[in-house]
Amino acid sequence: MTLYELEWGLYPRRVGIYLAEKGITGIERIAFDALAATLVRSSIAILEYLEERFPSPDMLGATPEARARTRELVGVIDEAAMQFGIWCHKASPCLRSANGRAAKRPRLPLTPIMRGCGCSTR
């Protein structure tokens, strides 16, 4: 097992403390400098990086106008997906209280009341 640790990260420190307290050895611990590394988290940024790195076949558009339209379309799709996710979250019977308002927090495991709301436990 290899553990990549951010020197300044809270959660890697938590794991490191746990390993030390448990006396667990044999795990390779590698310091990871996110500021120095090429680290890209956004899928859109990754796609644009790949497009610049491997320009053929052209997936964004041949002209600045075509690339702008492609980026605009991707933005619209992202916005629609986000709104759909919000709608699904608010419309789910599992996340609603008995009076129809959104529940403040989901109850886990499912209570007997929630079992009758049509939510799947699988």
Side-chain angles (χ1 to χ4, degrees):
M1 173 184 263
T2 303
L3 178 64
Y4 293 91
E5 298 179 298
L6 294 170
E7 185 176 314
W8 45 267
L10 172 65
Y11 302 115
R13 284 181 187 247
R14 179 185 296 169
V15 173
I17 291 168
Y18 181 83
L19 292 172
E21 290 294 321
K22 293 281 283 185
I24 298 172
T25 59
I27 295 177
E28 183 181 9
R29 297 172 74 176
I30 299 174
F32 181 77
D33 186 358
L35 300 176
T38 301
L39 183 64
V40 182
R41 293 181 187 97
S42 166
S43 63
I44 293 172
I46 292 169
L47 294 177
E48 289 199 11
Y49 167 80
L50 291 171
E51 182 68 19
E52 290 176 14
R53 182 98 191 267
F54 306 99
S56 181
D58 181 16
M59 301 288 282
L60 284 178
T63 65
E65 293 81 9
R67 289 190 292 274
R69 284 292 291 161
T70 300
R71 290 182 179 111
E72 181 181 44
L73 181 60
V74 169
V76 168
I77 292 168
D78 278 350
E79 180 71 21
M82 182 184 70
Q83 293 299 324
F84 180 71
I86 292 170
W87 178 83
C88 287
H89 177 77
K90 292 186 179 284
S92 170
C94 293
L95 300 173
R96 291 197 169 279
S97 64
N99 64 7
R101 294 190 184 138
K104 290 184 181 178
R105 59 189 163 115
R107 296 179 188 155
L108 296 174
L110 293 177
T111 64
I113 293 172
M114 292 180 80
R115 283 191 191 106
C117 75
C119 301
S120 173
T121 59
R122 294 186 176 143

